[in-house]
Amino acid sequence: MRAGHVSVVGIIQARMGSTRLPSKVLKTLAGRTVLGRVVRAAHESGALDKVVVATTVEDIDDEIVAECERLGVPAYRGPVDDVLTRFTGALDEHPADAVMRFSADNPLIDPEIVALACRVFRSVPGLDYLSTSIKRMLPLGMDVEIIDAATLRRIGQIAEGFHRIHVTSYAYSNPDQFRVMGLTLPPDRSQLRLTVDTEDDWRLVEEAVAHFGDTSVSLQKMVEWLAANPEIAAINAHVEQKSLNQG
């Protein structure tokens, strides 16, 4: 059981070799890279003890390491497809009691939700895993998840197949083995896409940043704006998210 302050390291997975929208993490929005927006939101939450970017050993990702240097955050380099090993390696270099997992293609993530998830995780002793996506009500691209460090290392030893791509999926797919908590934030806005995976996703995010500027935006303000501008929300409504076993 953890005692005292529960340290949480935010680990942001980022690579240039995306299949549907290559190099998306270094595309710019109002002069700031997508990765830079995620790093800023993680810091603005005020809830994390450290923020680290986990990228790959491929030459193409030298650009991500350079961006990390510019942003003043450490970078860890590991396998391309074994993202779980990338995370445990980053954790070994930057130890903490728990890991909050971020994806670098979610530039509109709300720092307030990050902070809330950390508060809840820290308040429940012995919790292995917490996520807003077990019963997802948030827009895609705003979900958060935290996993206990010892639990992450344990699944790093036993997980196979697509579980090594999705990092935490072995834990929430086996709730009989782990103490798992879902954090649910109604009402249901799960039909909205605020992630960047396709050109149409990018168009919507560009519209949002053009309206709000270079600042983090709360979930409530974003949802209200999209409700008032349904033609913008419809830009990427047709995009289908990859299933878990598609990688």
Side-chain angles (χ1 to χ4, degrees):
M1 183 178 294
R2 299 178 295 263
H5 174 72
V6 176
S7 59
V8 180
V9 58
I11 300 181
I12 305 169
Q13 63 188 74
R15 67 186 184 96
M16 296 289 281
S18 167
T19 54
R20 294 212 276 189
L21 191 61
S23 307
K24 60 186 176 183
V25 300
L26 294 187
K27 288 168 75 74
T28 57
L29 294 160
R32 189 183 302 269
T33 63
V34 170
L35 176 58
R37 289 183 65 96
V38 179
V39 168
R40 180 181 62 184
H43 284 309
E44 285 182 347
S45 73
L48 302 170
D49 295 87
K50 181 175 281 191
V51 177
V52 180
V53 173
T55 190
T56 85
V57 294
E58 290 197 324
D59 291 344
I60 192 174
D61 288 325
D62 290 350
E63 293 181 62
I64 289 179
V65 174
E67 173 68 356
C68 289
E69 291 174 358
R70 194 185 69 81
L71 294 169
V73 294
Y76 175 84
R77 308 189 76 160
V80 177
D81 296 320
D82 188 350
V83 191
L84 178 51
T85 291
R86 224 191 295 166
F87 268 67
T88 55
L91 177 62
D92 288 342
E93 284 198 359
H94 304 277
D97 298 315
V99 171
M100 176 168 273
R101 179 190 176 209
F102 294 86
S103 176
D105 53 9
N106 294 332
L108 301 180
I109 192 163
D110 182 355
E112 294 175 11
I113 298 175
V114 173
L116 173 63
C118 283
R119 286 198 302 273
V120 174
F121 185 87
R122 286 177 168 130
S123 71
V124 183
L127 193 60
D128 288 310
Y129 177 78
L130 176 144
S131 175
T132 58
S133 60
I134 291 174
K135 171 59 177 174
R136 191 166 67 81
M137 290 195 170
L138 294 176
L140 194 69
M142 281 203 174
D143 282 303
V144 296
E145 57 179 347
I146 308 178
I147 188 166
D148 175 75
T151 302
L152 182 67
R153 291 190 175 100
R154 178 184 166 194
I155 65 175
Q157 295 295 320
I158 58 179
E160 298 179 348
F162 65 82
H163 290 305
R164 304 205 69 84
I165 298 173
H166 295 285
V167 184
T168 58
S169 58
Y170 187 89
Y172 60 76
S173 297
N174 292 279
D176 56 322
Q177 298 179 39
F178 303 99
R179 193 176 183 200
V180 172
M181 174 181 284
L183 178 61
T184 304
L185 301 174
D188 187 356
R189 294 116 163 190
S190 60
Q191 78 281 2
L192 297 171
R193 284 183 62 89
L194 298 177
T195 189
V196 175
D197 197 30
T198 69
E199 287 288 352
D200 285 337
D201 292 334
W202 180 252
R203 288 175 54 213
L204 185 148
V205 169
E206 279 191 312
E207 291 279 357
V209 174
H211 175 74
F212 288 104
D214 183 31
T215 184
S216 297
V217 182
S218 71
L219 167 66
Q220 190 62 35
K221 285 183 178 179
M222 185 65 69
V223 168
E224 288 174 355
W225 177 71
L226 288 171
N229 296 275
E231 73 284 358
I232 294 176
I235 289 173
N236 63 354
H238 64 284
V239 178
E240 292 187 8
Q241 187 67 8
K242 292 180 183 178
S243 63
L244 192 65
N245 59 10
Q246 283 181 291

